[in-house]
């Protein structure tokens, strides 16, 4: 555990003691993620290449000593402790989810989806108390939500003796996000948080859910992965994300295929005859992005990370121009990083705000940081938060 992990886990334990008047039996944690490439491809059955980062959410947990079949959740984000009966979860989700504060829908949604996925009777498990603390930046597009889901899933599965594998736990997290929170997202973030490995990315086929560990070799190549958090907040439960997903489904339907995974660059001219220009460009992003993921994996294997810069830049252009999910702050971050000598840069995550990433040689990290900060000031944007991330291990008991 890093010093930050030790501190954050201690905060979770202290919150547990303060809210529940007892000691937790342990802490579990799961990381946020950066997506290296492959954006809005996951719910199109396509390819993604994310990695888990060193920022983690920790949960302190203890089974309830009083034999009551209830779950209580507490978080440093909110003064209120939320309590529900385990056998009410089925009524709350999804129909009455609005009765639960939004942050609590993530852990309670995982409890609900975990019991359902494993066919466990809520009366056959013990009541539990959970207290969360996190150092994953919220709203930065680094999947703070998948970190909560992953930590909750491994903690509850251990405590309740539920032996689902990591892919099944990722599906539990996605179901919580889709149905308990109401964000129509794919499975990339949960897979990255549960399967992450140090120094490696996860090359995921989102149709088969086959996951391969791909060495990144950033350190050996003298590279750092710099995150430029624009501070522009986004929510995938509302607006643009769902609209993009709907456009992708329209495109697949027009071509008569189950998902855009089944469309190649060669099919695009035919599609242009069938759909409007906006739908066409949405599809073109997904189809070309899938190819860029495959090209990135091949390039990493054959030439190493210094050679992937152009693919990152092309990915950003496609999201800016065809998928239209970038914002001026993200474009500014990418342009400033490239002008200051980054190997490559792109926005990461669902878009409409959040963070950009830049792959940068060690000796240029300060120049990139200064350039992004100066460009934001010149454009009249609030100062970005800039830090480096390290590909890290996935969810585990601490
Ligand atoms: C969000 C979603 C993911 C994925 C990305 C875009 O992070 O949670 O499932 O769709 O956006 O690539």
């Amino acid at each position: 555990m890093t010093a930050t992990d030790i501190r954050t886990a201690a905060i979770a334990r202290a919150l547990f003691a303060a809210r529940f008047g007892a000691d937790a039996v342990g802490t579990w944690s799961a990381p946020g993620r950066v997506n290296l490439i492959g954006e809005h491809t996951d719910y199109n059955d396509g390819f993604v290449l994310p990695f888990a980062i060193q920022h983690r959410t920790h949960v302190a947990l203890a089974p309830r000593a009083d034999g009551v079949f209830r779950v209580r959740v507490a978080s440093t984000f909110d003064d209120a402790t939320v309590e529900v009966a385990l056998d009410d979860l089925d009524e709350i989700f999804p129909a009455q989810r609005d009765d639960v504060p939004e942050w609590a829908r993530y852990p309670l949604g995982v409890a609900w989806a975990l019991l359902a996925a494993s066919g466990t009777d809520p009366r056959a498990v013990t009541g539990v108390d959970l207290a969360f603390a996190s150092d994953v930046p919220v709203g930065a597009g680094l999947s703070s939500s998948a970190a909560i889901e992953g930590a909750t899933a491994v903690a509850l599965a251990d405590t309740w003796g539920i032996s689902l594998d990591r892919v099944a736990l990722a599906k539990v997290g996605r179901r919580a996000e889709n149905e308990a929170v109401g964000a129509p997202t794919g499975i990339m973030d949960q897979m990255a948080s549960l399967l992450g490995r140090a120094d490696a990315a996860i090359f995921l086929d989102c149709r088969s859910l086959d996951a391969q560990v791909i060495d990144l070799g950033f350190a050996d190549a003298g590279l750092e992965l710099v995150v430029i958090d624009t501070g522009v907040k986004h929510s995938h439960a509302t607006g643009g994300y769902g609209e993009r997903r709907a456009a992708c489904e329209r495109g697949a339907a027009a071509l008569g295929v189950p998902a855009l995974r089944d469309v190649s660059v060669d099919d695009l001219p035919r599609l242009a005859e069938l759909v409007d220009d906006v739908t066409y460009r949405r599809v073109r992003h997904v189809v070309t992005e899938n190819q860029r993921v495959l090209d990135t994996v091949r390039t990493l294997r054959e030439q190493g990370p210094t050679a992937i810069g152009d693919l990152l830049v092309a990915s950003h252009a496609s999201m800016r121009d065809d998928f239209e999910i970038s914002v001026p702050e993200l474009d500014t971050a990418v342009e400033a990083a490239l002008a200051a000598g980054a190997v490559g840069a792109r926005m990461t995550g669902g878009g409409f705000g959040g963070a950009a990433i830049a792959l940068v040689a060690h000796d240029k990290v300060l120049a990139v940081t200064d350039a992004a900060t100066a460009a934001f000031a010149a454009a009249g944007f609030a100062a970005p938060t800039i830090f480096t991330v390290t590909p890290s291990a996935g969810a585990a008991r601490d």
Side-chain angles (χ1 to χ4, degrees), residues 33 35 38-40 42-43 143 185-189 236 241 349-350:
R33 65 99 189 90
N35 188 18
E39 225 64 86
H40 287 262
D42 60 352
Y43 55 78
S143 292
T185 53
I187 201 163
M188 165 169 76
D189 307 342
H236 295 326
Y241 188 98

Side-chain angles (χ1 to χ4, degrees), residues 124-138:
V125 295
T126 62
V128 279
D129 294 327
L130 304 108
F132 292 85
S134 181
D135 76 310
V136 185
V138 174

Side-chain angles (χ1 to χ4, degrees), residues 1 17 70 77 87 94 111 167 200 202 217 238 245 249 288 303 376 396:
M1 278 170 96
R70 296 176 78 83
F77 286 104
D87 52 7
V167 173
I202 305 299
T238 50
R245 190 170 177 152
E249 284 160 10
T288 57
Q303 299 174 59
F376 271 56

